[in-house]
Amino acid sequence: MIKAAIFDLDGLLVDTEIVSLKIYQELLSEYGYSFTKEEYAKHYSGKTEKENIKRFIDTYNLSVSYQECLDEVLNIERKLISQGVELKVGVKSLLVYLKENNYKVALATSSTKDRAISILKGHDILSYFD
């Protein structure tokens, strides 16, 4: 009998793919480049931030260090997340069902703890996680 559910945050509970796309679009626009959804999907989606930043610096010949680029990405991300990240359809009702039926609920994510908690609090669903 199943007694617990483990959720991933990015892409499953919340739509962060669009946030990543917007981060990279804003970053590259600062250097005079446009960045398409197709390019994101083909070369950047599902990759680590480290891989993506290195690819940006190399592909677009950015005149910044890895750390400077990472700092820019994180600043843009904080700004966008503070504006809200869309919750996936059905998430809240599923979490309510699981809690009402005494399932343990956990979160597994590669996001930082602060980022994950901020997003969950923003949707008032942190209390559903054990």
Side-chain angles (χ1 to χ4, degrees), residues 44-102:
Y44 297 90
S45 179
K47 306 285 191 305
T48 66
E49 204 72 76
K50 184 177 183 178
E51 289 174 291
N52 286 343
I53 288 172
K54 286 181 178 182
R55 182 183 291 258
F56 283 132
I57 291 170
D58 293 342
T59 301
Y60 296 96
N61 197 28
L62 303 182
S63 59
V64 293
S65 70
Y66 169 82
Q67 189 60 50
E68 290 169 325
C69 195
L70 175 62
D71 290 344
E72 282 187 64
V73 165
L74 294 176
N75 285 334
I76 296 166
E77 179 184 54
R78 275 190 290 276
K79 179 186 76 171
L80 292 175
I81 287 177
S82 73
Q83 296 169 359
V85 179
E86 193 171 324
L87 195 62
K88 293 281 193 163
V89 175
V91 166
K92 191 143 189 184
S93 60
L94 177 57
L95 291 172
V96 167
Y97 171 84
L98 292 171
K99 271 301 182 197
E100 287 176 350
N101 289 280
N102 300 311

Side-chain angles (χ1 to χ4, degrees), residues 18 29 34 40 52 63 81 85 91-92 95 105 111 120 122 125:
I18 193 71
S29 74
S34 61
Y40 172 76
N52 286 343
S63 59
I81 287 177
V85 179
V91 166
K92 191 143 189 184
L95 291 172
V105 179
S111 290
L120 296 177
I125 60 173

Side-chain angles (χ1 to χ4, degrees), residues 19-34:
V19 173
S20 294
L21 173 62
K22 288 178 181 178
I23 290 168
Y24 298 151
Q25 286 175 328
E26 189 171 324
L27 171 73
L28 290 173
S29 74
E30 293 175 11
Y31 296 96
Y33 296 102
S34 61

